[in-house]
Amino acid sequence: MTAGVAALFISTDPVDAAPKPLLERAVVSACRLDLRGTLVSIIQHGEDGSVALIREQAAGWPARFSRFAVSPQAKVLRAYAEARHRDLPSASSAYDAATCRRLKPLAALAQSAVIVREAYPALKPGHLLLRCTSGLCAPPAVAAIADRCDFVPLAIPLEPLCP
């Protein structure tokens, strides 16, 4: 663990991997980047020209995502996800409601980024994604959120991410 990440873990509760104010700000920032409605619309309109549709409808989103992906807020959100993932090593273990409320925006954001990477190959993975053989992918702790929170980010109707 690097010193920068270790400094984020100032809570005395071992279950809380990040100070709540910073974590809550990170959740709100991730919520503001929700692109799911746009992606569902593109998917519903078919595959033809999907890259062009993404470029048209998501103008400005890749730059906002890339800034967030390298921010301290993204770092604390991923650290929180990884701490929860380590706390419950069994893949079938479900997260509690408060943890899911905090992590669902991260899961939706990572999925959105993976989907739009074809239209925006310069998308920065930052703290939220990894470079994989197929391009960008979610780290294991982020990929596990959907199952552990019983959350399908692109299900219709879209589940609200933020209060």
Side-chain angles (χ1 to χ4, degrees):
M1 181 183 311
T2 65
V5 174
L8 297 173
F9 301 133
I10 61 173
S11 175
T12 57
D13 183 354
V15 176
D16 280 331
K20 284 189 176 43
L22 180 57
L23 178 61
E24 296 307 323
R25 286 193 312 269
V27 170
V28 169
S29 293
C31 287
R32 288 188 189 130
L33 288 167
D34 188 10
L35 188 62
R36 294 170 311 137
T38 299
L39 293 175
V40 167
S41 174
I42 290 167
I43 291 166
Q44 287 177 329
H45 288 94
E47 295 292 320
D48 293 338
S50 61
V51 170
L53 278 171
I54 288 172
R55 283 194 179 121
E56 177 186 319
Q57 294 185 17
W61 185 86
R64 290 190 311 275
F65 171 85
S66 292
R67 280 191 304 272
F68 178 75
V70 297
S71 73
Q73 292 177 335
K75 186 176 185 177
V76 77
L77 230 111
R78 177 154 170 201
Y80 181 76
E82 289 176 347
R84 291 301 180 269
H85 193 64
R86 281 190 307 273
D87 289 345
L88 294 172
S90 170
S92 63
S93 298
Y95 293 145
D96 61 77
T99 298
C100 287
R101 181 191 63 76
R102 291 179 184 121
L103 290 178
K104 284 178 182 179
L106 177 59
L109 188 55
Q111 184 180 34
S112 295
V114 168
I115 290 169
V116 303
R117 76 181 187 275
E118 184 179 342
Y120 296 99
L123 205 62
K124 292 181 184 173
H127 300 293
L128 303 182
L129 300 170
L130 302 173
R131 293 216 182 270
C132 302
T133 55
S134 62
L136 298 178
C137 61
V142 175
I145 295 167
D147 288 337
R148 291 176 175 226
C149 291
D150 192 27
F151 176 60
V152 180
L154 293 180
I156 300 171
L158 291 174
E159 180 181 325
L161 286 179
C162 303

